[in-house]
Amino acid sequence: AISGPLGYRSRQPGRGVLVARIDESISVAQFEARLQLLLKQTEDLYWDLWAAHQLYRAQTRARDNAYQLWQRVLQRATAGLEGGGAADEAQAQETYYHRQELADDALANLFEAQGRLRRLIGLPTNDEYLFWPIDQPASAQKLLDWRPSLAEALSRRIELRQQKLRIHSLELQLRAAKSLAHPQLDLVSGVQLNGLGDDLFSGSSPSSSAYGDLFDGNDSGWNAGVEFSMPFGFRAER
């Protein structure tokens, strides 16, 4: 179960059933690790999209406030009141344009965050829908117990499971390699189906042909025994 049958030319054993099963378990663990990474990346992009929405809303409110301030400065300038001079109007206008630029950048970042999330979950990059996160981040304080978390991580973490499986596979392969440095005693057996005749195939008398004798099984044979092998010095195995 640890090592497979020996090769005809190389005389090296193949992988056994136990080693092949461990390799399959390692592949399953790798799939679980990729799935876990996909879920984590999806959650991270979801909250990035939520943060982009909040930033865009904040920038649009700041832009609207700057526009209202600019309009009040214009009204003061029209009425000839204090605070409505040309310098005040230019400063309010510049503030509004700056806030408009920040709002446009926040909108571009929002579309970029949505595009990354769409590509990750396999949706079209552009369509008529805009993602709007409905879940809010938890604001409650979380206190984690270190010891149970460490024990759970040591027993269930995928990377540690993979390393344990690899170590176990190497231990089995080492046992299989050590077994090659011992004399080998095998049970061998065989069956021969022989066909004898004057002709290879005869239509008039099939029994006198080689094919007919082969199918009749008149000259079949068998052998059984043991085979002992011990290379001198076991130089190749060592």
Side-chain angles (χ1 to χ4, degrees):
I2 298 177
S3 60
L6 293 176
Y8 176 71
R9 296 182 180 276
S10 62
R11 302 297 295 175
Q12 296 295 327
R15 288 184 175 270
V17 177
L18 294 180
V19 177
R21 184 180 300 175
I22 292 176
D23 293 341
E24 184 68 20
S25 300
I26 293 175
S27 301
V28 173
Q30 291 175 352
F31 173 76
E32 293 178 2
R34 295 189 183 99
L35 181 60
Q36 186 182 49
L37 179 61
L38 176 61
L39 293 177
K40 183 182 182 302
Q41 292 177 347
T42 304
E43 185 177 2
D44 292 342
L45 290 178
Y46 177 86
W47 294 118
D48 290 343
L49 181 61
W50 180 87
H53 273 284
Q54 298 300 319
L55 179 61
Y56 176 68
R57 292 177 61 182
Q59 294 296 344
T60 53
R61 286 195 298 267
R63 179 201 60 192
D64 296 340
N65 294 333
Y67 180 77
Q68 294 176 4
L69 178 61
W70 181 26
Q71 295 303 313
R72 286 197 296 269
V73 171
L74 288 178
Q75 292 176 2
R76 286 178 176 271
T78 303
L81 300 177
E82 184 180 359
D88 297 330
E89 180 183 355
Q91 184 178 2
Q93 184 179 8
E94 181 182 1
T95 302
Y96 167 72
Y97 287 148
H98 178 64
R99 291 296 180 182
Q100 180 65 43
E101 182 180 0
L102 294 179
D104 294 339
D105 292 340
L107 182 60
N109 293 331
L110 173 62
F111 288 146
E112 182 179 358
Q114 180 181 236
R116 292 198 301 268
L117 181 59
R118 283 177 174 273
R119 287 192 296 270
L120 185 63
I121 61 179
L123 293 179
T125 305
N126 298 319
D127 57 16
E128 59 183 0
Y129 298 102
L130 179 64
F131 284 177
W132 187 274
I134 59 176
D135 293 334
Q136 301 294 327
S139 58
Q141 184 180 5
K142 294 183 179 180
L143 298 178
L144 302 179
D145 195 350
W146 170 253
R147 293 185 180 276
S149 300
L150 178 60
E152 184 177 2
L154 292 176
S155 60
R156 302 183 59 181
R157 188 170 179 84
I158 298 177
E159 291 81 0
L160 296 180
R161 285 169 48 200
Q162 290 180 352
Q163 293 300 328
K164 290 179 182 178
L165 291 172
R166 291 191 180 98
I167 292 174
H168 186 45
S169 176
L170 292 176
E171 290 175 349
L172 295 179
Q173 294 179 38
L174 179 60
R175 289 175 54 186
K178 287 182 177 180
S179 66
L180 297 177
H182 296 84
Q184 184 175 355
L185 180 63
D186 298 326
L187 176 64
V188 295
S189 62
V191 177
Q192 297 89 28
L193 295 178
N194 303 317
L196 304 177
D198 297 332
D199 298 323
L200 181 63
F201 178 79
S202 176
S204 59
S205 179
S207 60
S208 63
S209 64
Y211 278 132
D213 188 60
L214 177 65
F215 293 143
D216 291 339
N218 296 325
D219 297 315
S220 61
W222 60 272
N223 61 74
V226 293
E227 181 181 286
F228 178 80
S229 62
M230 186 179 67
F232 289 104
F234 294 100
R235 291 174 294 179
E237 288 74 6
R238 295 186 183 278

